[in-house]
Amino acid sequence: TALYNVETTQTVFAANLRGEPFSTWAGPVSIATGLERRTEEAVSRVDPISDAGGFAYGNPRSFAGEYTVTEGYFEFVAPLLENSPLAQNLDLNAAIRYADYSTSGGVWTWKVGLTWDVNEQLRLRTTRSRDIRAPNNAELHAETSSRTTLRNPFSGATEIISVVTGSSATLEPEKADTFTIGAVVSPSFMPGLRLSVDYFDIDISGAISGYAPQVILDNCFNETSGGAPGFFCSFVH
């Protein structure tokens, strides 16, 4: 019987401050700011057969790892118009955050957006942001193995080959530039009904992923055909 038990522990210290320190011509400005220190720990226990790679499929290995992140943020909502001929309400919202990861260093995220209540029946909204996703402890420390049927490009034969899916302690956060625009409709002839539609455009760089085993073998073969083994052959034994 295979066993894979992962215990995660999160330790958090946070301090947050929010309020309405001043007003514009259209109303009070809301702000929020804060600091956070967070430690994420993970410890896994597996059965001896899995730990030794003894099953044909899905052999998780035991691991223990942790990382710490220190964050600071500031955000605000500022009203620009209220009960005007152009808008019932028009708000500007913005935020910025800095996160320092013990594994990969610091990274900035931010957003800026507008919310336009044209009237009681129509709200328009748009946001532009820089977003991240930091690697978790499994992506930083975990490892599994299995036996997979692959085509060996060196021999031309189809073989059962042992494949290890590893992790990397040097992974950096994924980054995305995101643009959204949308509308919320609350028709007066149907009280309580609210309809929304949104468009998202997300451009991700540095996505955390892995190469398929067959891709690694084929590219290693191409490397050796063109000369000395290179990047992909470093993953083949």
Side-chain angles (χ1 to χ4, degrees):
T1 301
L3 171 70
Y4 185 45
N5 179 278
V6 182
E7 180 179 332
T8 61
T9 304
Q10 184 185 79
T11 305
V12 182
F13 169 81
N16 300 284
L17 178 67
R18 60 174 181 246
E20 298 177 345
F22 60 93
S23 297
T24 68
W25 55 90
V29 174
S30 301
I31 68 165
T33 186
L35 295 170
E36 182 173 300
R37 173 84 169 179
R38 187 172 71 255
T39 299
E40 306 271 0
E41 300 173 84
V43 178
S44 73
R45 292 186 298 107
V46 303
D47 62 279
I49 298 176
S50 293
D51 218 12
F55 289 110
Y57 301 102
N59 290 282
R61 309 288 173 84
S62 57
F63 75 90
E66 68 174 61
Y67 66 89
T68 300
V69 56
T70 303
E71 296 182 293
Y73 75 93
F74 177 79
E75 58 187 46
F76 71 88
V77 179
L80 303 180
L81 293 174
E82 184 180 26
N83 296 324
S84 78
L86 295 176
Q88 187 177 42
N89 292 102
L90 179 63
D91 294 336
L92 170 67
N93 59 84
I96 189 169
R97 178 182 293 261
Y98 180 76
D100 185 16
Y101 290 87
S102 60
T103 52
S104 57
V107 60
W108 289 94
T109 56
W110 52 267
K111 76 161 188 173
V112 60
L114 284 171
T115 302
W116 179 15
D117 288 324
V118 181
N119 49 47
E120 292 184 353
Q121 300 183 65
L122 178 63
R123 166 179 288 182
L124 304 176
R125 57 195 180 191
T126 184
T127 302
R128 179 76 167 81
S129 65
R130 162 57 65 90
D131 312 302
I132 67 161
R133 185 188 77 83
N136 56 44
N137 272 310
E139 292 164 330
L140 293 169
H141 305 290
E143 182 179 294
T144 61
S145 68
S146 62
R147 293 176 179 84
T148 304
T149 301
L150 300 170
R151 184 184 61 83
N152 185 343
F154 293 90
S155 65
T158 299
E159 304 176 20
I160 298 177
I161 298 175
S162 177
V163 175
V164 176
T165 302
S167 55
S168 174
T170 60
L171 286 173
E172 297 182 356
E174 301 174 335
K175 296 178 181 179
D177 292 319
T178 305
F179 171 73
T180 67
I181 188 169
V184 181
V185 180
S186 304
S188 59
F189 58 86
M190 294 192 69
L193 176 65
R194 179 172 293 181
L195 306 173
S196 67
V197 60
D198 292 279
Y199 170 80
F200 297 85
D201 182 21
I202 304 172
D203 182 16
I204 299 177
S205 62
I208 297 172
S209 184
Y211 293 102
Q214 190 65 61
V215 170
I216 293 176
L217 285 179
D218 292 342
N219 279 283
C220 177
F221 177 74
N222 293 334
E223 288 173 348
T224 55
S225 299
F231 173 78
F232 285 97
C233 286
S234 66
F235 299 107
V236 179
H237 301 279

